[in-house]
Amino acid sequence: MTEPPITTKDRILDVAERLFADCGFEATSLRTITAEAGVNLASVNYHFQSKEALLHAVFERRVNPVNRRRLELLDACEAEFQNEPIPLERLLEAFFRPLVLELGGVFPKLFVRFLYLESPNTFRELFAKHLRPIARRFFPAFHRSLPGLDPSELFMRIQFAVGGMAQLLAAKSLAEVIGEGSFTIPSHEVALEKLIQFAAAAMRSPVSRGAL
Amino acid sequence: MTEPPITTKDRILDVAERLFADCGFEATSLRTITAEAGVNLASVNYHFQSKEALLHAVFERRVNPVNRRRLELLDACEAEFQNEPIPLERLLEAFFRPLVLELGGVFPKLFVRFLYLESPNTFRELFAKHLRPIARRFFPAFHRSLPGLDPSELFMRIQFAVGGMAQLLAAKSLAEVIGEGSFTIPSHEVALEKLIQFAAAAMRSPVSRGAL
DNA sequence: GAATGAATCAAACGTTTGTTTCAATCGTTC
DNA sequence: GAACGATTGAAACAAACGTTTGATTCATTC
């Protein structure tokens, strides 16, 4: 009982999130959103102020819980290991799991669009605002777990790992392009574990002594 | 002398490529393209048939040389190592280098958009058409170099590696969001080497015996 | 130098876009 | 039940969109 009354505002957010994820921000019209949500066209500009503000709201509704969870897991790790470096796999899990696994729905897919520049310029700033405090907490932790890497090298490896995550979130992108159904698609839980293992092995590898 | 006469068609392609990369397909209007290229609005629909056909032309102009080079490098590897497995790093280089390094300009950035679904549905098919033959050649080669991995595991690891490449191509995406200029940004050549080293270490790591 | 086809041009086409308006409705409070 | 602010409704707004038109220019060929 007492099922949450799905308000107009929430219906708009749900539909907008899905359409933005599937078609992108610019390709999605407010008329499509409101029609699919069964609400009046004007209600978007009433509850939010503009289409772009709607995008911001869609983003913030999900990113806040995700980042809260990330910090929660990181706090738990730091409490568990005190001053010891946190095992790399645990650190990667704290960073990846909330977005990859704990959050259902289409937001992870939309997040990849956010990551690789969804167009509105003002949005880049919002994205940075939410990611910066996460980076400020996680980067030193990674540094303690991988003391052999200088910061620039570490940063680059984190970037590559994030790229792997994005590939996982975009999911079908490559699989359906190339695979003819010949590949076993693992559960998200298994895929996350494999991503962590992949990233950990790569991040631990010795620094190359190639030409610089 | 005999400098190539920059035709209207080429000017449109150049400007469209840059604007599509910076702003996305839907957010870029034909009026912006033609104004910036200094050509008439109607010339887009004259030389190409539609805006979407222009996107296809922008894509095919670059992807063909890139994929030709990829197969060239793979052929060279196979000739050099005969029936022996090709060293993993060499394989990764054959796949990454043409797009990451040999191709200048903004196309690599645009390619990331292509990879993570730029909207028009008909475009996904074009993208797949060009990537499939590459996958069909490279996947068996990877399999020979990493015989310990079953195909699904290998495919997933390749996907993660491609994600790392995408992150490199999108370049500033994370660096400018988080880094306060504190990180040394390596040359593309060095970055490619580090990407290859990263991916090779990860792809070679033993398969986990975690819960499945 | 007239004629032919390709290329460019300014202008307009009909739609669709995000946004605004203002009246109608709803639920709450006095 | 009157009055009120919050929400919804149908309709219109100007602006921008991709595309088409038809005249004009250009280079080439006979």
Side-chain angles (χ1 to χ4, degrees):
Chain A
M1 305 303 124
T2 70
E3 50 193 57
I6 303 175
T7 68
T8 296
K9 210 170 170 179
D10 285 329
R11 263 207 295 271
I12 293 173
L13 283 173
D14 288 342
V15 174
E17 182 181 54
R18 178 165 47 82
L19 291 177
F20 287 163
D22 284 342
C23 315
F25 175 72
E26 309 280 352
T28 303
S29 75
L30 293 183
R31 282 170 175 82
T32 307
I33 293 173
T34 53
E36 207 150 317
V39 304
N40 191 271
L41 170 62
S43 57
V44 170
N45 292 84
Y46 176 76
H47 287 285
F48 314 87
Q49 298 111 334
S50 65
K51 188 189 179 187
E52 194 165 322
L54 170 61
L55 177 68
H56 289 210
V58 165
F59 176 62
E60 296 202 286
R61 179 170 70 143
R62 304 293 186 199
V63 78
N64 285 323
V66 164
N67 283 344
R68 203 178 313 122
R69 271 296 280 162
R70 280 172 165 163
L71 295 180
E72 244 176 65
L73 294 174
L74 178 57
D75 286 339
C77 282
E78 290 184 339
E80 183 177 348
F81 294 95
Q82 300 282 78
N83 291 340
E84 299 293 310
I86 300 164
L88 187 52
E89 283 81 357
R90 294 287 299 275
L91 219 41
L92 288 167
E93 183 175 3
F95 185 73
F96 288 145
R97 177 178 283 273
L99 181 58
V100 175
L101 215 66
E102 296 182 351
L103 199 68
V106 297
F107 183 78
K109 188 175 168 188
L110 178 57
F111 185 85
V112 178
R113 279 192 194 271
F114 289 146
L115 182 61
Y116 296 115
L117 38 111
E118 189 64 53
S119 347
N121 284 339
T122 74
F123 180 77
R124 297 299 295 166
E125 204 168 340
L126 182 70
F127 188 78
K129 189 185 101 188
H130 285 274
L131 206 53
R132 238 184 313 255
I134 300 296
R136 258 195 255 279
R137 282 289 312 276
F138 271 88
F139 190 85
F142 274 113
H143 194 42
R144 275 192 297 276
S145 298
L146 294 167
L149 302 179
D150 70 279
S152 294
E153 177 80 32
L154 174 60
F155 180 71
M156 179 164 290
R157 293 189 181 197
I158 292 176
Q159 272 199 282
F160 291 150
V162 168
M165 180 197 69
Q167 192 65 40
L168 187 60
L169 297 182
K172 314 200 287 180
S173 63
L174 272 187
E176 69 183 10
V177 161
I178 294 163
E180 294 90 358
S182 48
F183 300 121
T184 306
I185 295 177
S187 69
H188 275 195
E189 179 69 45
V190 171
L192 172 63
E193 193 181 315
K194 295 203 176 294
L195 169 64
I196 290 172
Q197 185 205 347
F198 180 93
M203 293 178 76
R204 269 202 271 258
S205 72
V207 281
S208 77
R209 288 277 151 258
L212 192 86
Chain B
M1 306 305 119
T2 69
E3 51 192 57
I6 304 175
T7 67
T8 296
K9 211 170 168 178
D10 284 330
R11 262 207 296 271
I12 293 173
L13 283 172
D14 288 342
V15 174
E17 182 180 54
R18 178 166 48 81
L19 291 176
F20 287 163
D22 284 342
C23 314
F25 175 73
E26 309 280 352
T28 303
S29 75
L30 294 184
R31 283 171 174 81
T32 307
I33 294 173
T34 52
E36 208 149 315
V39 303
N40 191 270
L41 170 62
S43 57
V44 170
N45 292 85
Y46 176 77
H47 287 286
F48 313 87
Q49 295 111 334
S50 66
K51 187 189 179 185
E52 194 166 321
L54 169 63
L55 177 68
H56 289 209
V58 165
F59 177 63
E60 295 203 285
R61 181 171 69 144
R62 304 292 186 199
V63 78
N64 285 324
V66 165
N67 283 346
R68 203 179 312 122
R69 271 297 278 162
R70 280 171 164 164
L71 296 181
E72 243 177 66
L73 294 175
L74 178 57
D75 286 339
C77 281
E78 290 184 339
E80 182 178 349
F81 294 95
Q82 299 283 78
N83 291 341
E84 299 293 311
I86 300 164
L88 187 53
E89 284 82 356
R90 294 287 299 276
L91 219 41
L92 288 167
E93 183 176 3
F95 185 73
F96 288 146
R97 177 178 283 274
L99 182 57
V100 174
L101 215 66
E102 295 182 351
L103 200 68
V106 297
F107 182 78
K109 188 175 168 188
L110 178 57
F111 185 85
V112 179
R113 281 190 193 272
F114 288 147
L115 183 61
Y116 296 114
L117 38 110
E118 190 65 54
S119 342
N121 284 339
T122 74
F123 180 77
R124 296 299 295 167
E125 203 167 342
L126 181 70
F127 188 78
K129 190 186 101 187
H130 285 275
L131 206 53
R132 239 185 310 256
I134 300 296
R136 257 196 258 278
R137 282 289 312 276
F138 272 87
F139 191 84
F142 274 113
H143 195 40
R144 275 193 296 276
S145 298
L146 294 167
L149 302 180
D150 71 278
S152 293
E153 177 80 31
L154 173 60
F155 180 71
M156 179 163 291
R157 294 189 182 197
I158 292 176
Q159 270 198 283
F160 291 149
V162 168
M165 180 197 69
Q167 192 65 39
L168 187 61
L169 298 183
K172 314 201 287 180
S173 63
L174 272 188
E176 71 183 9
V177 161
I178 295 163
E180 295 90 357
S182 48
F183 300 121
T184 306
I185 296 177
S187 70
H188 275 195
E189 179 70 44
V190 172
L192 172 63
E193 194 181 316
K194 295 205 175 293
L195 169 64
I196 290 172
Q197 185 206 346
F198 180 94
M203 293 178 76
R204 268 200 271 258
S205 73
V207 281
S208 78
R209 289 276 150 259
L212 191 85

